[in-house]
């Protein structure tokens, strides 16, 4: 979705970095202070469309990539290609590609995990971090499968661990419905009853979402039809490689 306003046009390009091709949406002056916007699951660069325009109008250079596995970026099928080192490596390689020494980084959901780890592993490349939805926590002492066991097999992260399981369940619905089910979530604990797949348990709002038009939902769906869900789900299959992620999810679910 491209727009032209006082902030300028949204520019789209791809960069071959860190062994993958990353699609990047950019808005604002190229000489302005750079803001790197990292989306979550299941999203795209489009999640930042309003923030990009606001930042660009104030002289910032807004950079919103489709993270690996999403949209028009490369989507490796091997879960091992989605460790936190790969994801931070993508961000650093993108900054190198642009010859940008430092950025303000903003992350939402799993994108916040990348933002935290970028600042932890490469503080020399970060001015400041804005994290939405996921705070920083130290590394957990146990793997994800152990920490999430009390929530049962119906817990969404547990169901996402097995390659192919969630993809098969998602395939029972059209892509727009799958996305709307996630975008409509208002549950305190994202877990289905025993023997039920989470995507069958989640309900899509019967009305249009107040923060997304049906046309915009269709734009998301078009991209996920192309790239599929394996890449995005592989982030969850590699959670044990995140320094802080397991504890943070556990704490959030217990709140």
């Amino acid at each position: 979705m491209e727009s032209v306003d006082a902030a300028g046009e949204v520019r789209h390009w791809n960069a071959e970095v860190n062994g993958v091709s990353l699609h990047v949406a950019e808005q604002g002056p190229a000489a302005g202070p750079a803001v790197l916007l990292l989306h979550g699951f299941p999203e795209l660069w489009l999640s930042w469309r309003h923030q990009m325009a606001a930042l660009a109008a104030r002289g910032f250079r807004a950079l919103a990539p489709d993270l690996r596995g999403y949209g028009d970026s490369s989507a490796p099928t091997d879960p091992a290609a989605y460790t936190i080192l790969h994801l931070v490596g993508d961000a650093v390689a993108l900054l190198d590609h642009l010859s940008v020494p430092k950025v303000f980084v903003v992350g939402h959901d799993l994108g916040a995990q990348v933002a935290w780890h970028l600042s932890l592993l490469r503080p020399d490349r970060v001015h400041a971090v804005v994290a939405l939805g996921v705070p920083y926590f130290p590394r957990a002492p146990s793997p994800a499968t152990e920490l999430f066991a009390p929530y049962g097999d119906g817990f969404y992260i547990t169901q996402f661990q097995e390659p192919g399981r969630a993809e098969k369940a998602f395939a029972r619905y059209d892509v727009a419905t799958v996305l709307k089910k996630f975008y409509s979530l208002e549950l305190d604990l994202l877990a289905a009853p025993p023997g039920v797949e989470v995507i069958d348990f989640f309900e899509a709002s019967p009305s249009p979402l107040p923060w997304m038009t049906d046309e915009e939902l269709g734009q998301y769906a078009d991209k996920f039809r192309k790239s599929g869900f394996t890449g995005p789900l592989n982030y969850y299959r590699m959670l044990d490689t995140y320094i802080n992620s397991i504890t943070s999810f556990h704490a959030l679910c217990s709140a």
Side-chain angles (χ1 to χ4, degrees), residues 1-3 10-12 23-27 37-40 42-53 62-67 70-73 219-220 223-224:
M1 181 181 68
E2 298 190 16
S3 61
V10 176
R11 306 178 294 279
H12 295 267
H23 165 252
V24 180
E26 177 181 358
Q27 192 171 8
L37 302 160
L38 305 173
H39 65 77
E43 302 177 40
L44 298 167
W45 77 267
L46 272 168
S47 298
W48 304 108
R49 58 198 179 280
H50 302 301
Q51 291 81 6
M52 290 176 68
L63 300 163
D66 286 332
L67 301 185
Y70 287 87
D72 292 320
S73 293
Q219 290 179 304
Y220 280 82
K223 295 301 181 182
F224 277 93

Side-chain angles (χ1 to χ4, degrees), residues 94-166:
L94 180 59
L95 299 182
D96 289 344
H97 176 80
L98 294 169
S99 298
V100 172
K102 276 193 172 185
V103 292
F104 297 93
V105 59
V106 183
H108 171 240
D109 185 55
L110 290 179
Q113 290 290 347
V114 183
W116 284 125
H117 287 83
L118 174 61
S119 65
L120 182 68
L121 299 174
R122 292 300 306 269
D124 58 308
R125 307 305 295 268
V126 177
H127 286 300
V129 175
V130 177
L132 305 175
V134 178
Y136 179 80
F137 285 88
R139 185 175 178 86
S142 303
T145 50
E146 292 181 18
L147 287 172
F148 299 140
Y151 304 119
D153 182 68
F155 190 54
Y156 77 113
I157 295 177
T158 300
Q159 292 195 1
F160 290 175
Q161 294 305 301
E162 180 184 341
R165 175 179 178 176

Side-chain angles (χ1 to χ4, degrees), residues 198-221:
V198 289
I199 200 65
D200 296 331
F201 179 65
F202 295 163
E203 294 184 2
S205 170
S207 304
L209 297 168
W211 48 275
M212 177 184 290
T213 67
D214 286 341
E215 179 185 359
E216 288 170 335
L217 178 61
Q219 290 179 304
Y220 280 82

